[in-house]
Amino acid sequence: MHRSDTTMDDEKIAFLKERLRRAKKLMVLTGAGISAESGVPTFRGQDGLWQNYNVTDLATPQAFAANPKLVWAFYNWRRNLISQIKENPAHQALAILEESLPDFTLVTQNVDGLHRRAGSKNIIEIHGNLWQVKCSQCRQKYIDMSVNMGTLPLCKICGGLLRPDVVWFGENLDHQLLQRVEETAQTCDVLLVIGTSCQVYPVAAIPMIAKNGGAFAGEINTEETPITAGIDITIIGKAGEILPLLVK
Ligand code: BJW
Ligand code: ZN
């Protein structure tokens, strides 16, 4: 007799739920997919276009040097969008999970700040934060919640050009944060990877670091990813639908 896909999914969800409940040290790694149901476009696939630009082409220091107005227009558009939307049940479920576990670390590649808005506390924003800017000359950082930073915002101290305090392609991640993330991956007993295509390094290597350290690793995504074959369980589905079932 064939079991229906629904039964299989129910079993997988029950199994993962039990692993999460018993986790002594849980690490959660999230990507753009967790914010998709809030209305934040992802980077790759059909969603990854803005005014006919490939958004990953705009997330580079070269793009900013060549056309800072264009890159600021893109970031102003995202600030505006994110100021108008809300965290979703997936973000909320993670905040609830954190409260019930002894050791919980949330590593997000997202710069949208939605995890914090949902109430998560122990968060590492490994690719930076959209609401922080830094001077490209004197490196001074500012938190600026203005929805629109203007076409070419300038540093109050040195007059240099401000840029979003996010990590672009070819730029190094914050060394100390990355070290903390790698240590957490090595020592966690459960890792949950949600809504990331696992294509961008060094973060894409985190799941294998956790696996090599002996962790049980699960994944929630609307499709398979390069890590699917190497981890313990993948639940195919929307984060906003699956995660609430895991913390119920
Ligand atoms: C759902 C869903 C739902 C949808 N529910 N799921 C080898 C070759 C060539 C280059 C490199 C190489 N190794 C390393 C590099 C360099 C590069 C890199 O990795 N390139 C690869 C593309 C190959 N890495 C870097 O440059 C990094 N720095 C670095 O390595 O420094 C040292 C160095 C320098 C130079 C050379 C070599 C080494 C920095 C990377 C910074 C990434 N920055 C960005 C922009 C941040 C700012 C901003 O947001 O504006 O970060 S790019 C973008 O990608 C963003 C994301 O955080 C990141 C990851 O994307 P994510 O989150 O996975 O999103 P998507 O869209 O890819 O996937 C969404 C997923 O969700 C999909 O799987 C969907 O199925 C799923 N989904 N709806 C559940 N409802
Ligand atoms: Zn400055």
Side-chain angles (χ1 to χ4, degrees), residues 135-140 142 155-160 162:
C135 175
S136 44
Q137 227 159 274
C138 74
R139 300 279 135 184
Q140 173 69 37
Y142 303 86
C155 175
K156 292 189 190 84
I157 297 171
C158 77
L162 294 178

Side-chain angles (χ1 to χ4, degrees), residues 32 37 43-44 75 78 109 127 167 170-171 196-197 201 221 239:
E37 289 157 81
F43 290 91
R44 292 167 186 83
Y75 279 92
R78 282 174 65 202
Q109 298 167 83
H127 287 165
V167 184
E171 295 185 318
T196 172
S197 62
Y201 286 85
N221 199 303

Side-chain angles (χ1 to χ4, degrees), residues 45-183:
Q46 301 157 333
D47 269 3
L49 276 185
W50 173 76
Q51 294 189 5
N52 295 324
Y53 291 93
N54 201 328
V55 301
T56 49
D57 291 343
L58 296 171
T60 67
Q62 292 79 10
F64 190 66
N67 196 344
K69 278 188 187 168
L70 174 73
V71 174
W72 262 118
F74 169 60
Y75 279 92
N76 280 328
W77 171 77
R78 282 174 65 202
R79 288 166 85 100
N80 183 40
L81 176 86
I82 290 159
S83 72
Q84 292 179 45
I85 51 123
K86 285 211 315 248
E87 65 273 15
N88 69 54
H91 300 104
Q92 287 158 354
L94 290 179
I96 293 169
L97 193 59
E98 179 168 10
E99 281 172 18
S100 68
L101 291 176
D103 190 338
F104 175 102
T105 307
L106 173 56
V107 178
T108 187
Q109 298 167 83
N110 301 343
V111 300
D112 56 30
L114 291 181
H115 283 302
R116 203 170 300 279
R117 273 206 241 163
S120 285
K121 293 189 180 69
N122 193 24
I123 310 171
I124 299 177
E125 290 175 315
I126 194 73
H127 287 165
N129 188 305
L130 193 63
W131 303 105
Q132 191 159 300
V133 297
K134 66 182 175 196
C135 175
S136 44
Q137 227 159 274
C138 74
R139 300 279 135 184
Q140 173 69 37
K141 295 193 180 197
Y142 303 86
I143 292 177
D144 197 320
M145 302 297 287
S146 336
V147 164
N148 191 327
M149 295 286 299
T151 38
L152 282 180
L154 298 178
C155 175
K156 292 189 190 84
I157 297 171
C158 77
L161 185 55
L162 294 178
R163 54 161 283 180
D165 190 12
V166 299
V167 184
W168 284 326
F169 282 116
E171 295 185 318
N172 285 316
L173 282 70
D174 181 294
H175 180 70
Q176 280 180 350
L177 285 187
L178 184 60
Q179 210 165 15
R180 253 176 75 200
V181 169
E182 287 173 348
E183 273 166 24

